[in-house]
C-alpha cells in the first residue's frame, strides 16, 4: 500500500526514539477523493490506534492507516531527500484525490482518473486544471480548462503538445482526439 524509503524509515525511527514507548506514525488523507485532498504524517501514540486501522510494519516502527484513507494511499511513496538546501520529507500519493480505477473500468472513468492523478497536478503549478466534459461515441475527449489555464496564451500548446499527446498515448486505440470547449477570456487569473 505505502512504500517508505530506507532514508525515511531511518528518519521516522530517529524521531520516534524521543516519543513515548509504543508510539508509531499515522499516514492519512484529509478530504480523500476530492480535489482538496491533503496527505499527512503524524505521531500515533498507542491510545490513538483505532480498531479498523491497518498496521504496516517497517524497521523499528509501524505506520497506521485509517480505513477511510487506505484506498486513497495505494501506491503512496514516502521519502526523505537530502540536497544542498537541506533535508525534506516527501509524500507522494497519486490516488489521494481520486481512487484508482481498475484497468477494465469504463473508458470515461479511466480518463477521469488520469486527468485527476496525472494531468491536473501538472497544471496546478499554473493555478489551472481541466475537466472532462464529454466523451463522444467516436472517441473524442471534450475537455474544459479552468483556473489559470483559462485565458493563458500557451493553452493551445498545453493542449496539443501536453494533454492530448499524453491522453492519446495512454488510451491508444480507444481515444482519437482531445478537443477544448473553453471560452478563453484573458484575465487576472490567467497564468503567463
Amino acid at each position: 500500500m505505502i512504500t517508505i524509503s530506507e532514508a525515511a524509515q531511518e528518519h521516522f525511527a530517529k524521531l520516534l526514539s524521543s516519543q513515548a514507548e509504543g508510539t508509531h506514525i499515522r499516514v492519512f488523507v484529509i478530504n480523500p477523493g476530492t480535489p482538496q485532498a491533503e496527505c499527512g504524517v503524524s505521531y500515533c501514540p498507542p491510545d490513538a490506534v483505532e480498531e479498523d486501522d491497518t498496521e504496516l510494519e517497517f524497521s523499528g516502527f509501524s505506520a497506521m492507516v485509517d480505513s477511510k484513507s487506505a484506498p486513497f494511499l495505494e501506491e503512496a511513496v514516502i521519502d526523505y531527500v537530502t540536497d544542498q538546501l537541506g533535508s525534506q520529507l516527501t509524500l507522494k500519493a497519486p490516488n489521494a484525490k481520486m481512487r484508482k480505477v481498475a484497468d477494465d473500468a469504463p473508458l470515461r472513468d479511466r480518463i477521469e482518473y488520469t486527468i485527476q492523478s496525472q494531468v491536473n497536478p501538472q497544471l496546478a503549478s499554473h493555478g489551472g486544471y481541466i475537466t472532462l466534459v464529454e466523451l463522444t461515441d467516436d472517441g473524442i475527449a471534450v475537455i474544459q480548462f479552468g483556473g489559470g489555464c483559462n485565458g493563458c496564451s500557451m493553452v493551445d500548446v498545453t493542449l496539443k503538445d501536453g494533454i492530448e499527446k499524453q491522453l492519446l498515448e495512454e488510451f491508444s486505440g480507444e481515444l482519437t482526439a482531445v478537443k477544448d470547449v473553453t471560452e478563453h477570456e484573458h484575465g487576472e487569473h490567467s497564468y503567463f
Side-chain angles (χ1 to χ4, degrees):
M1 173 192 302
I2 300 172
T3 302
I4 301 180
S5 71
E6 283 188 38
Q9 287 184 49
E10 290 171 14
H11 177 70
F12 287 133
K14 184 177 175 185
L15 289 175
L16 289 166
S17 69
S18 63
Q19 297 298 310
E21 191 173 327
T23 300
H24 295 289
I25 63 167
R26 175 171 296 284
V27 184
F28 57 90
V29 182
I30 299 170
N31 299 318
T34 71
Q36 296 80 29
E38 298 262 341
C39 299
V41 179
S42 65
Y43 291 118
C44 183
D47 61 350
V49 175
E50 300 291 330
E51 203 173 287
D52 61 350
D53 279 347
T54 298
E55 181 176 357
L56 306 172
E57 294 183 17
F58 293 95
S59 180
F61 68 94
S62 290
M64 309 307 285
V65 179
D66 64 272
S67 60
K68 189 175 173 187
S69 296
F72 299 95
L73 288 169
E74 287 294 328
E75 300 177 12
V77 177
I78 300 175
D79 197 5
Y80 188 68
V81 182
T82 302
D83 59 23
Q84 54 272 43
L85 299 174
S87 299
Q88 176 177 302
L89 194 62
T90 62
L91 194 163
K92 294 179 182 167
N95 303 307
K97 294 184 188 307
M98 186 173 196
R99 187 185 298 220
K100 185 168 181 168
V101 296
D103 291 339
D104 62 351
L107 179 59
R108 183 180 182 102
D109 293 349
R110 290 182 284 129
I111 292 171
E112 285 275 9
Y113 174 76
T114 299
I115 287 171
Q116 294 301 329
S117 65
Q118 296 175 34
V119 177
N120 280 345
Q122 295 168 11
L123 297 175
S125 65
H126 299 263
Y129 60 89
I130 62 167
T131 53
L132 180 63
V133 176
E134 179 186 2
L135 180 60
T136 67
D137 291 338
D138 52 350
I140 298 172
V142 180
I143 63 156
Q144 184 166 15
F145 284 90
C149 289
N150 185 1
C152 175
S153 59
M154 296 298 291
V155 75
D156 291 336
V157 174
T158 301
L159 176 64
K160 288 294 172 198
D161 294 344
I163 297 166
E164 184 175 54
K165 185 177 178 185
Q166 182 177 354
L167 292 177
L168 290 178
E169 282 177 15
E170 176 106 11
F171 302 103
S172 177
E174 295 179 279
L175 206 57
T176 58
V178 178
K179 301 277 187 223
D180 175 22
V181 296
T182 311
E183 291 290 331
H184 288 281
E185 293 181 26
H186 175 71
E188 288 183 20
H189 63 277
S190 302
Y191 185 83
F192 293 98

PDB file of all heavy atoms in Angstrom, residues 114 119 122-123 130 143 145 154-170 178:
ATOM      1  N   THR A 114      -6.942   9.565 -14.936  1.00  0.00           N
ATOM      2  CA  THR A 114      -5.679  10.082 -15.467  1.00  0.00           C
ATOM      3  C   THR A 114      -5.636  11.603 -15.370  1.00  0.00           C
ATOM      4  O   THR A 114      -4.609  12.180 -15.011  1.00  0.00           O
ATOM      5  CB  THR A 114      -5.475   9.613 -16.928  1.00  0.00           C
ATOM      6  OG1 THR A 114      -5.416   8.179 -16.929  1.00  0.00           O
ATOM      7  CG2 THR A 114      -4.196  10.168 -17.523  1.00  0.00           C
ATOM      8  N   VAL A 119      -2.645  14.689 -15.029  1.00  0.00           N
ATOM      9  CA  VAL A 119      -2.706  15.953 -15.772  1.00  0.00           C
ATOM     10  C   VAL A 119      -2.882  17.146 -14.838  1.00  0.00           C
ATOM     11  O   VAL A 119      -2.103  18.102 -14.876  1.00  0.00           O
ATOM     12  CB  VAL A 119      -3.828  15.923 -16.839  1.00  0.00           C
ATOM     13  CG1 VAL A 119      -3.925  17.264 -17.555  1.00  0.00           C
ATOM     14  CG2 VAL A 119      -3.586  14.785 -17.835  1.00  0.00           C
ATOM     15  N   GLN A 122       0.027  18.535 -12.789  1.00  0.00           N
ATOM     16  CA  GLN A 122       0.980  19.291 -13.605  1.00  0.00           C
ATOM     17  C   GLN A 122       0.472  20.712 -13.859  1.00  0.00           C
ATOM     18  O   GLN A 122       1.235  21.667 -13.832  1.00  0.00           O
ATOM     19  CB  GLN A 122       1.212  18.585 -14.948  1.00  0.00           C
ATOM     20  CG  GLN A 122       1.882  17.237 -14.817  1.00  0.00           C
ATOM     21  CD  GLN A 122       1.838  16.443 -16.117  1.00  0.00           C
ATOM     22  OE1 GLN A 122       1.486  16.958 -17.170  1.00  0.00           O
ATOM     23  NE2 GLN A 122       2.191  15.176 -16.048  1.00  0.00           N
ATOM     24  N   LEU A 123      -0.822  20.851 -14.091  1.00  0.00           N
ATOM     25  CA  LEU A 123      -1.408  22.166 -14.372  1.00  0.00           C
ATOM     26  C   LEU A 123      -1.551  23.008 -13.110  1.00  0.00           C
ATOM     27  O   LEU A 123      -1.638  24.231 -13.188  1.00  0.00           O
ATOM     28  CB  LEU A 123      -2.772  22.002 -15.040  1.00  0.00           C
ATOM     29  CG  LEU A 123      -2.787  21.317 -16.407  1.00  0.00           C
ATOM     30  CD1 LEU A 123      -4.220  21.112 -16.881  1.00  0.00           C
ATOM     31  CD2 LEU A 123      -1.994  22.114 -17.420  1.00  0.00           C
ATOM     32  N   ILE A 130      -8.118  20.903 -15.712  1.00  0.00           N
ATOM     33  CA  ILE A 130      -9.083  20.604 -16.771  1.00  0.00           C
ATOM     34  C   ILE A 130     -10.141  19.665 -16.203  1.00  0.00           C
ATOM     35  O   ILE A 130      -9.911  18.958 -15.214  1.00  0.00           O
ATOM     36  CB  ILE A 130      -8.433  19.964 -18.025  1.00  0.00           C
ATOM     37  CG1 ILE A 130      -7.782  18.614 -17.695  1.00  0.00           C
ATOM     38  CG2 ILE A 130      -7.466  20.913 -18.681  1.00  0.00           C
ATOM     39  CD1 ILE A 130      -7.402  17.801 -18.940  1.00  0.00           C
ATOM     40  N   ILE A 143     -12.761  18.472 -23.367  1.00  0.00           N
ATOM     41  CA  ILE A 143     -12.316  18.985 -22.075  1.00  0.00           C
ATOM     42  C   ILE A 143     -12.586  20.480 -21.961  1.00  0.00           C
ATOM     43  O   ILE A 143     -12.816  21.163 -22.960  1.00  0.00           O
ATOM     44  CB  ILE A 143     -10.813  18.726 -21.837  1.00  0.00           C
ATOM     45  CG1 ILE A 143      -9.966  19.466 -22.887  1.00  0.00           C
ATOM     46  CG2 ILE A 143     -10.506  17.235 -21.822  1.00  0.00           C
ATOM     47  CD1 ILE A 143      -8.556  19.755 -22.437  1.00  0.00           C
ATOM     48  N   PHE A 145     -10.859  23.869 -19.830  1.00  0.00           N
ATOM     49  CA  PHE A 145      -9.826  24.409 -18.960  1.00  0.00           C
ATOM     50  C   PHE A 145     -10.465  25.295 -17.901  1.00  0.00           C
ATOM     51  O   PHE A 145     -11.491  25.929 -18.152  1.00  0.00           O
ATOM     52  CB  PHE A 145      -8.821  25.259 -19.758  1.00  0.00           C
ATOM     53  CG  PHE A 145      -7.846  24.459 -20.570  1.00  0.00           C
ATOM     54  CD1 PHE A 145      -8.124  24.109 -21.874  1.00  0.00           C
ATOM     55  CD2 PHE A 145      -6.631  24.065 -20.014  1.00  0.00           C
ATOM     56  CE1 PHE A 145      -7.210  23.384 -22.628  1.00  0.00           C
ATOM     57  CE2 PHE A 145      -5.712  23.343 -20.761  1.00  0.00           C
ATOM     58  CZ  PHE A 145      -6.003  23.000 -22.066  1.00  0.00           C
ATOM     59  N   MET A 154      -0.595  30.223 -23.659  1.00  0.00           N
ATOM     60  CA  MET A 154       0.030  28.944 -24.038  1.00  0.00           C
ATOM     61  C   MET A 154      -0.956  27.775 -24.049  1.00  0.00           C
ATOM     62  O   MET A 154      -0.556  26.622 -24.166  1.00  0.00           O
ATOM     63  CB  MET A 154       1.170  28.622 -23.063  1.00  0.00           C
ATOM     64  CG  MET A 154       2.321  29.619 -23.107  1.00  0.00           C
ATOM     65  SD  MET A 154       3.128  29.675 -24.715  1.00  0.00           S
ATOM     66  CE  MET A 154       3.904  28.076 -24.757  1.00  0.00           C
ATOM     67  N   VAL A 155      -2.259  28.057 -23.958  1.00  0.00           N
ATOM     68  CA  VAL A 155      -3.239  26.978 -23.811  1.00  0.00           C
ATOM     69  C   VAL A 155      -3.248  26.018 -25.007  1.00  0.00           C
ATOM     70  O   VAL A 155      -3.406  24.816 -24.840  1.00  0.00           O
ATOM     71  CB  VAL A 155      -4.647  27.540 -23.494  1.00  0.00           C
ATOM     72  CG1 VAL A 155      -5.301  28.150 -24.719  1.00  0.00           C
ATOM     73  CG2 VAL A 155      -5.520  26.473 -22.876  1.00  0.00           C
ATOM     74  N   ASP A 156      -3.037  26.530 -26.226  1.00  0.00           N
ATOM     75  CA  ASP A 156      -3.024  25.652 -27.399  1.00  0.00           C
ATOM     76  C   ASP A 156      -1.846  24.680 -27.357  1.00  0.00           C
ATOM     77  O   ASP A 156      -1.978  23.505 -27.692  1.00  0.00           O
ATOM     78  CB  ASP A 156      -2.986  26.465 -28.698  1.00  0.00           C
ATOM     79  CG  ASP A 156      -4.291  27.208 -28.950  1.00  0.00           C
ATOM     80  OD1 ASP A 156      -5.340  26.762 -28.424  1.00  0.00           O
ATOM     81  OD2 ASP A 156      -4.263  28.235 -29.654  1.00  0.00           O
ATOM     82  N   VAL A 157      -0.690  25.170 -26.936  1.00  0.00           N
ATOM     83  CA  VAL A 157       0.496  24.318 -26.806  1.00  0.00           C
ATOM     84  C   VAL A 157       0.273  23.290 -25.703  1.00  0.00           C
ATOM     85  O   VAL A 157       0.579  22.104 -25.875  1.00  0.00           O
ATOM     86  CB  VAL A 157       1.753  25.176 -26.502  1.00  0.00           C
ATOM     87  CG1 VAL A 157       2.955  24.293 -26.223  1.00  0.00           C
ATOM     88  CG2 VAL A 157       2.030  26.124 -27.659  1.00  0.00           C
ATOM     89  N   THR A 158      -0.279  23.742 -24.585  1.00  0.00           N
ATOM     90  CA  THR A 158      -0.565  22.836 -23.468  1.00  0.00           C
ATOM     91  C   THR A 158      -1.505  21.725 -23.917  1.00  0.00           C
ATOM     92  O   THR A 158      -1.297  20.558 -23.603  1.00  0.00           O
ATOM     93  CB  THR A 158      -1.190  23.607 -22.282  1.00  0.00           C
ATOM     94  OG1 THR A 158      -0.272  24.620 -21.866  1.00  0.00           O
ATOM     95  CG2 THR A 158      -1.495  22.678 -21.121  1.00  0.00           C
ATOM     96  N   LEU A 159      -2.529  22.091 -24.701  1.00  0.00           N
ATOM     97  CA  LEU A 159      -3.496  21.101 -25.170  1.00  0.00           C
ATOM     98  C   LEU A 159      -2.855  20.116 -26.142  1.00  0.00           C
ATOM     99  O   LEU A 159      -2.896  18.908 -25.924  1.00  0.00           O
ATOM    100  CB  LEU A 159      -4.696  21.792 -25.833  1.00  0.00           C
ATOM    101  CG  LEU A 159      -5.725  20.837 -26.455  1.00  0.00           C
ATOM    102  CD1 LEU A 159      -6.379  19.981 -25.378  1.00  0.00           C
ATOM    103  CD2 LEU A 159      -6.774  21.610 -27.224  1.00  0.00           C
ATOM    104  N   LYS A 160      -2.243  20.623 -27.221  1.00  0.00           N
ATOM    105  CA  LYS A 160      -1.731  19.747 -28.280  1.00  0.00           C
ATOM    106  C   LYS A 160      -0.475  18.973 -27.882  1.00  0.00           C
ATOM    107  O   LYS A 160      -0.373  17.776 -28.103  1.00  0.00           O
ATOM    108  CB  LYS A 160      -1.454  20.560 -29.555  1.00  0.00           C
ATOM    109  CG  LYS A 160      -2.709  21.010 -30.253  1.00  0.00           C
ATOM    110  CD  LYS A 160      -3.464  19.818 -30.792  1.00  0.00           C
ATOM    111  CE  LYS A 160      -4.818  20.209 -31.337  1.00  0.00           C
ATOM    112  NZ  LYS A 160      -5.721  19.086 -31.469  1.00  0.00           N
ATOM    113  N   ASP A 161       0.513  19.679 -27.328  1.00  0.00           N
ATOM    114  CA  ASP A 161       1.796  19.034 -27.029  1.00  0.00           C
ATOM    115  C   ASP A 161       1.828  18.367 -25.664  1.00  0.00           C
ATOM    116  O   ASP A 161       2.740  17.589 -25.380  1.00  0.00           O
ATOM    117  CB  ASP A 161       2.935  20.062 -27.106  1.00  0.00           C
ATOM    118  CG  ASP A 161       3.136  20.591 -28.516  1.00  0.00           C
ATOM    119  OD1 ASP A 161       2.621  19.963 -29.465  1.00  0.00           O
ATOM    120  OD2 ASP A 161       3.799  21.639 -28.671  1.00  0.00           O
ATOM    121  N   GLY A 162       0.886  18.694 -24.826  1.00  0.00           N
ATOM    122  CA  GLY A 162       0.880  18.128 -23.478  1.00  0.00           C
ATOM    123  C   GLY A 162      -0.271  17.171 -23.259  1.00  0.00           C
ATOM    124  O   GLY A 162      -0.131  15.950 -23.344  1.00  0.00           O
ATOM    125  N   ILE A 163      -1.442  17.732 -23.039  1.00  0.00           N
ATOM    126  CA  ILE A 163      -2.609  16.939 -22.635  1.00  0.00           C
ATOM    127  C   ILE A 163      -3.027  15.939 -23.704  1.00  0.00           C
ATOM    128  O   ILE A 163      -3.181  14.754 -23.425  1.00  0.00           O
ATOM    129  CB  ILE A 163      -3.783  17.878 -22.268  1.00  0.00           C
ATOM    130  CG1 ILE A 163      -3.396  18.739 -21.061  1.00  0.00           C
ATOM    131  CG2 ILE A 163      -5.042  17.079 -21.985  1.00  0.00           C
ATOM    132  CD1 ILE A 163      -4.300  19.917 -20.813  1.00  0.00           C
ATOM    133  N   GLU A 164      -3.220  16.411 -24.944  1.00  0.00           N
ATOM    134  CA  GLU A 164      -3.673  15.496 -25.993  1.00  0.00           C
ATOM    135  C   GLU A 164      -2.655  14.390 -26.237  1.00  0.00           C
ATOM    136  O   GLU A 164      -3.005  13.205 -26.308  1.00  0.00           O
ATOM    137  CB  GLU A 164      -3.961  16.246 -27.294  1.00  0.00           C
ATOM    138  CG  GLU A 164      -4.534  15.305 -28.363  1.00  0.00           C
ATOM    139  CD  GLU A 164      -4.959  16.031 -29.626  1.00  0.00           C
ATOM    140  OE1 GLU A 164      -4.122  16.770 -30.199  1.00  0.00           O
ATOM    141  OE2 GLU A 164      -6.113  15.841 -30.039  1.00  0.00           O
ATOM    142  N   LYS A 165      -1.396  14.755 -26.329  1.00  0.00           N
ATOM    143  CA  LYS A 165      -0.337  13.768 -26.554  1.00  0.00           C
ATOM    144  C   LYS A 165      -0.342  12.710 -25.440  1.00  0.00           C
ATOM    145  O   LYS A 165      -0.291  11.509 -25.705  1.00  0.00           O
ATOM    146  CB  LYS A 165       1.012  14.478 -26.612  1.00  0.00           C
ATOM    147  CG  LYS A 165       2.171  13.589 -26.950  1.00  0.00           C
ATOM    148  CD  LYS A 165       3.456  14.405 -27.050  1.00  0.00           C
ATOM    149  CE  LYS A 165       4.633  13.520 -27.348  1.00  0.00           C
ATOM    150  NZ  LYS A 165       5.888  14.248 -27.339  1.00  0.00           N
ATOM    151  N   GLN A 166      -0.429  13.172 -24.182  1.00  0.00           N
ATOM    152  CA  GLN A 166      -0.412  12.252 -23.044  1.00  0.00           C
ATOM    153  C   GLN A 166      -1.634  11.328 -23.050  1.00  0.00           C
ATOM    154  O   GLN A 166      -1.502  10.112 -22.866  1.00  0.00           O
ATOM    155  CB  GLN A 166      -0.379  13.063 -21.749  1.00  0.00           C
ATOM    156  CG  GLN A 166      -0.310  12.212 -20.495  1.00  0.00           C
ATOM    157  CD  GLN A 166      -0.195  13.066 -19.225  1.00  0.00           C
ATOM    158  OE1 GLN A 166      -0.054  14.278 -19.263  1.00  0.00           O
ATOM    159  NE2 GLN A 166      -0.261  12.404 -18.091  1.00  0.00           N
ATOM    160  N   LEU A 167      -2.824  11.883 -23.279  1.00  0.00           N
ATOM    161  CA  LEU A 167      -4.040  11.063 -23.250  1.00  0.00           C
ATOM    162  C   LEU A 167      -4.108  10.096 -24.432  1.00  0.00           C
ATOM    163  O   LEU A 167      -4.546   8.958 -24.275  1.00  0.00           O
ATOM    164  CB  LEU A 167      -5.288  11.950 -23.199  1.00  0.00           C
ATOM    165  CG  LEU A 167      -5.491  12.727 -21.901  1.00  0.00           C
ATOM    166  CD1 LEU A 167      -6.726  13.621 -21.991  1.00  0.00           C
ATOM    167  CD2 LEU A 167      -5.592  11.806 -20.693  1.00  0.00           C
ATOM    168  N   LEU A 168      -3.666  10.533 -25.626  1.00  0.00           N
ATOM    169  CA  LEU A 168      -3.690   9.639 -26.784  1.00  0.00           C
ATOM    170  C   LEU A 168      -2.711   8.476 -26.607  1.00  0.00           C
ATOM    171  O   LEU A 168      -2.991   7.355 -27.034  1.00  0.00           O
ATOM    172  CB  LEU A 168      -3.390  10.399 -28.077  1.00  0.00           C
ATOM    173  CG  LEU A 168      -4.484  11.366 -28.552  1.00  0.00           C
ATOM    174  CD1 LEU A 168      -4.039  12.099 -29.814  1.00  0.00           C
ATOM    175  CD2 LEU A 168      -5.798  10.646 -28.771  1.00  0.00           C
ATOM    176  N   GLU A 169      -1.559   8.739 -25.977  1.00  0.00           N
ATOM    177  CA  GLU A 169      -0.607   7.654 -25.703  1.00  0.00           C
ATOM    178  C   GLU A 169      -1.181   6.690 -24.667  1.00  0.00           C
ATOM    179  O   GLU A 169      -1.093   5.474 -24.833  1.00  0.00           O
ATOM    180  CB  GLU A 169       0.713   8.226 -25.185  1.00  0.00           C
ATOM    181  CG  GLU A 169       1.588   8.805 -26.269  1.00  0.00           C
ATOM    182  CD  GLU A 169       2.865   9.428 -25.709  1.00  0.00           C
ATOM    183  OE1 GLU A 169       3.221   9.181 -24.543  1.00  0.00           O
ATOM    184  OE2 GLU A 169       3.513  10.189 -26.469  1.00  0.00           O
ATOM    185  N   GLU A 170      -1.758   7.246 -23.613  1.00  0.00           N
ATOM    186  CA  GLU A 170      -2.295   6.416 -22.528  1.00  0.00           C
ATOM    187  C   GLU A 170      -3.473   5.556 -22.989  1.00  0.00           C
ATOM    188  O   GLU A 170      -3.636   4.429 -22.561  1.00  0.00           O
ATOM    189  CB  GLU A 170      -2.733   7.327 -21.372  1.00  0.00           C
ATOM    190  CG  GLU A 170      -3.387   6.596 -20.224  1.00  0.00           C
ATOM    191  CD  GLU A 170      -2.510   6.480 -19.015  1.00  0.00           C
ATOM    192  OE1 GLU A 170      -1.459   7.131 -18.943  1.00  0.00           O
ATOM    193  OE2 GLU A 170      -2.907   5.717 -18.126  1.00  0.00           O
ATOM    194  N   VAL A 178      -8.511  15.018 -28.559  1.00  0.00           N
ATOM    195  CA  VAL A 178      -8.903  15.785 -27.383  1.00  0.00           C
ATOM    196  C   VAL A 178      -9.254  17.185 -27.871  1.00  0.00           C
ATOM    197  O   VAL A 178      -8.450  17.821 -28.551  1.00  0.00           O
ATOM    198  CB  VAL A 178      -7.772  15.850 -26.323  1.00  0.00           C
ATOM    199  CG1 VAL A 178      -8.199  16.694 -25.134  1.00  0.00           C
ATOM    200  CG2 VAL A 178      -7.379  14.445 -25.877  1.00  0.00           C
TER     201      VAL A 178
END
